[in-house]
C-alpha cells in the first residue's frame, strides 16, 4: 500500500454519489469491473488492442529511477482506494503498546 492507497479487486463494490459520473454508464453502486468496462466503452477501447490495458496489460518498456536503463514488461490500469481514516488508528496502537509494557 503506497500513500495509503490499495488496489481494489475487480469484484469489490464501490459506492459514489450518483451524479459523479456524467459520461459513464454506471450506477452509484458498482463493482470495480463494471466501472472499468464503462471506461473502456466510453474510450472506445472495446475490441481493440488498448482493451488489454485494463486486463492482462500492454507490452511496454519503463525507465525507472531505481533501474539502470529500460525494463521490458507490461503496464495496466487499476482502481485504487485510500480510506479517510486508517484501519488501525494510532490511538489503538498506543493502547496496545501500553498494555504490553504493563504486562512485562
Amino acid at each position: 500500500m503506497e500513500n495509503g492507497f490499495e488496489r481494489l479487486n475487480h469484484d469489490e463494490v464501490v459506492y459514489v454519489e450518483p451524479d459523479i459520473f456524467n459520461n459513464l454508464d454506471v450506477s452509484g453502486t458498482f463493482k470495480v469491473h463494471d466501472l472499468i468496462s464503462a471506461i473502456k466503452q466510453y474510450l472506445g477501447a472495446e475490441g481493440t488492442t488498448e482493451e488489454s490495458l485494463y486486463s492482462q496489460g500492454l507490452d511496454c518498456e519503463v525507465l525507472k529511477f531505481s533501474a539502470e536503463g529500460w525494463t521490458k514488461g507490461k503496464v495496466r490500469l487499476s482502481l485504487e482506494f485510500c480510506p479517510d481514516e486508517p484501519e488501525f488508528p494510532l490511538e489503538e496502537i498506543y493502547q496496545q503498546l501500553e498494555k504490553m509494557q504493563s504486562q512485562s
Side-chain angles (χ1 to χ4, degrees), residues 52-66:
S52 295
L53 187 59
Y54 305 93
S55 55
Q56 66 263 23
L58 293 173
D59 291 333
C60 70
E61 292 185 46
V62 173
L63 183 59
K64 296 176 76 172
F65 295 124
S66 60

Side-chain angles (χ1 to χ4, degrees), residues 57-97:
L58 293 173
D59 291 333
C60 70
E61 292 185 46
V62 173
L63 183 59
K64 296 176 76 172
F65 295 124
S66 60
E68 293 181 24
W70 292 92
T71 304
K72 290 184 179 185
K74 293 188 178 288
V75 64
R76 72 177 174 189
L77 296 177
S78 64
L79 190 63
E80 296 182 345
F81 172 73
C82 179
D84 288 340
E85 296 181 20
E87 289 184 28
F88 301 104
L90 289 177
E91 186 61 36
E92 284 183 34
I93 295 171
Y94 291 134
Q95 289 174 2
Q96 290 175 358
L97 286 173

Side-chain angles (χ1 to χ4, degrees), residues 3-65:
N3 297 327
F5 281 89
E6 60 186 62
R7 184 170 172 240
L8 294 176
N9 181 295
H10 280 218
D11 287 325
E12 291 183 294
V13 178
V14 177
Y15 169 78
V16 296
E17 293 297 325
D19 59 344
I20 293 291
F21 295 118
N22 295 321
N23 297 316
L24 298 178
D25 185 23
V26 292
S27 62
T29 303
F30 53 87
K31 287 188 176 183
V32 170
H33 67 80
D34 293 333
L35 176 61
I36 291 172
S37 293
I39 292 170
K40 286 191 293 189
Q41 277 186 318
Y42 180 74
L43 296 176
E46 293 280 339
T48 67
T49 56
E50 290 89 353
E51 186 173 21
S52 295
L53 187 59
Y54 305 93
S55 55
Q56 66 263 23
L58 293 173
D59 291 333
C60 70
E61 292 185 46
V62 173
L63 183 59
K64 296 176 76 172
F65 295 124

